[in-house]
Amino acid sequence: MTTPPSPSGAEHAEGSAVRVGVLVPLTRPGWAEAGRHLLAGFELAVDKVNDTGGIDGRPLELVVRDTAADPGRASAAVDELAALGVAVVAGEYHSVVARAAAGRADALGVPFLCSSAVLDELTEEPTKWVARLAPAQSRGWRIYADFLLGEGRRRIAVATQPSVYWASGTRVLREHLAPHGGTVVELDTSALTPEALCDALVDHGATALLLLVGHPEPAVPIVRAVRDDVRLAEILIGAPAGQAEFAEWAALLGEDGAGIPFLRYLPEVLGPLGERVEKELRERLGEAPSFVAFEGWDTVTVLAEVLRSHGTDRAAIAESWPHVAVDGTRGPIRFSRTTGISVWQWAWTPIQVVDRDPAEPDRFRILRAV
């Protein structure tokens, strides 16, 4: 009879796998394409770790759970993974889902390395158990607001849906734009058809429309309606949350999906490690990897270093965050405490504002880089 892994994550049979719980959105209503890229980065990095001796001779093993963008499902998955004895939980793309997972991990005393979610307050109180690779929303969205100002766009409309994440983003934009004469008006997509939304944009004299909504619905119909409205020929459509990053966006919208700036967490130029991983991710995915795939690879790279140097005891892993020093695909990774952020934060991930080139929608243009 096989002995189940210890719930503490501290005891393992000789030669048994070191297990890492992974949260990813793989089905709707989650952004399944983002989940696929994130998981590809995880799997590629795990193959690399295991090809080079694993964790002190023991293989690294992923225990994957699909969150489907459901916070309750993510919380339940953390409970299940903790009971299975994983040493650490990692992953997730959706901020509201990651917040639920982080809160549950904090309550259970399970370390959680958040790969891709950006909501500033991942936990209600400061915690030692949670670290994050993605930049905080307040930083990325302020950079996006500066881009809008640089483009002369000050009358901003946001097409939004009820969500802590979208509300937080709207607040960041409003607070950052106001001192520069910028205004933000909210348009509730649950109450407006795409055509009615176009009328509202004209009425407000908006110079930019930001899509703070899900993909493909209602983002894709809104883009089509705005592109087809001659009254809005000069308006800038933006998508700071990155909907336009993925191939599905281009497949659904074609030329209409180009020229829509979004945030991407990559350096202007990848170093040798990033170039090598980019090539391998491209082969695995059968398409160009998004920044989310790099986040997956970097997550496993951090965890492998932590597990090799601090072991598999959960408390020891949580104590290791401030001591991490790892070369990731996008630069040296270190975690620190940052004002207003409740978790250990990589400060700071490279940030770009990019869009798909209208002349060649499969090519990205860097419009701003920090």
Side-chain angles (χ1 to χ4, degrees), residues 22-26 31-45 92-93 115-116 245-249 266 277-278 280-300 356 364:
V22 178
L23 304 177
V24 279
L26 295 175
W31 289 12
E33 194 170 5
R36 184 171 68 88
H37 279 234
L38 185 58
L39 186 57
F42 268 86
E43 291 174 340
L44 179 66
E92 195 45 48
Y93 176 79
S115 302
S116 193
E245 166 80 7
F246 298 102
E248 184 185 24
W249 176 270
L266 289 173
V277 172
E278 192 274 342
E280 294 173 355
L281 284 169
R282 184 183 292 270
E283 291 173 354
R284 181 173 289 253
L285 288 163
E287 62 187 14
S290 69
F291 69 86
V292 183
F294 290 95
E295 289 174 326
W297 201 96
D298 287 342
T299 299
V300 171
R356 291 181 176 273
F364 295 109

Side-chain angles (χ1 to χ4, degrees), residues 319-345:
E319 296 295 336
S320 75
W321 302 132
H323 307 294
V324 167
V326 174
D327 289 330
T329 57
R330 298 163 298 153
I333 298 173
R334 311 284 189 277
F335 296 111
S336 60
R337 289 296 189 184
T338 304
T339 302
I341 298 172
S342 59
V343 303
W344 287 101
Q345 176 70 52

Side-chain angles (χ1 to χ4, degrees), residues 65-300:
R65 294 295 180 267
D66 173 20
T67 65
D70 184 334
R73 188 164 169 173
S75 294
V78 173
D79 282 352
E80 179 195 1
L81 292 167
L84 288 172
V86 300
V88 59
V89 176
E92 195 45 48
Y93 176 79
H94 297 280
S95 282
V96 175
V97 179
R99 186 176 68 161
R104 193 64 191 141
D106 181 46
L108 293 174
V110 177
F112 174 47
L113 178 54
C114 179
S115 302
S116 193
V118 299
L119 194 66
D120 280 36
E121 296 178 354
L122 274 182
T123 54
E124 292 185 6
E125 301 292 337
T127 176
K128 71 176 185 178
W129 294 99
V130 182
R132 173 170 54 193
L133 287 172
Q137 186 180 29
S138 57
R139 176 171 171 80
W141 288 46
R142 283 197 298 266
I143 290 168
Y144 196 91
D146 285 336
F147 163 76
L148 293 173
L149 291 169
E151 293 291 305
R153 311 284 178 162
R154 284 174 167 75
R155 297 179 64 85
I156 312 301
V158 295
T160 190
Q161 294 174 304
S163 163
V164 171
Y165 173 62
W166 301 127
S168 173
T170 301
R171 183 173 62 253
V172 171
L173 293 168
R174 181 173 283 123
E175 291 176 353
H176 197 68
L177 291 168
H180 304 280
T183 60
V184 177
V185 60
E186 297 181 53
L187 304 177
D188 183 357
T189 60
S190 64
L192 295 170
T193 65
E195 292 72 25
L197 187 143
C198 289
D199 292 338
L201 293 173
V202 174
D203 292 343
H204 288 291
T207 58
L209 167 66
L210 305 186
L211 302 170
L212 309 193
V213 294
H215 164 70
E217 299 288 339
V220 168
I222 290 172
V223 171
R224 287 177 177 149
V226 173
R227 294 296 200 211
D228 288 343
D229 195 320
V230 295
R231 300 172 298 172
L232 300 172
E234 300 302 318
I235 200 167
L236 172 74
I237 305 176
Q243 296 95 319
E245 166 80 7
F246 298 102
E248 184 185 24
W249 176 270
L252 290 172
L253 282 166
E255 293 181 358
D256 283 348
I260 297 179
F262 61 92
L263 289 167
R264 183 169 71 164
Y265 309 130
L266 289 173
E268 288 190 82
V269 178
L270 289 168
L273 173 62
E275 287 185 347
R276 176 176 62 78
V277 172
E278 192 274 342
K279 179 180 178 182
E280 294 173 355
L281 284 169
R282 184 183 292 270
E283 291 173 354
R284 181 173 289 253
L285 288 163
E287 62 187 14
S290 69
F291 69 86
V292 183
F294 290 95
E295 289 174 326
W297 201 96
D298 287 342
T299 299
V300 171

Side-chain angles (χ1 to χ4, degrees), residues 48-60 304 308:
K48 180 68 173 179
V49 170
N50 288 337
D51 287 345
T52 55
I55 308 301
D56 297 329
R58 296 159 56 190
L60 192 60
R308 286 166 176 159

Side-chain angles (χ1 to χ4, degrees), residues 290-314:
S290 69
F291 69 86
V292 183
F294 290 95
E295 289 174 326
W297 201 96
D298 287 342
T299 299
V300 171
T301 301
V302 168
L303 292 180
E305 174 62 25
V306 165
L307 292 165
R308 286 166 176 159
S309 58
H310 292 80
T312 59
D313 177 76
R314 290 173 180 167

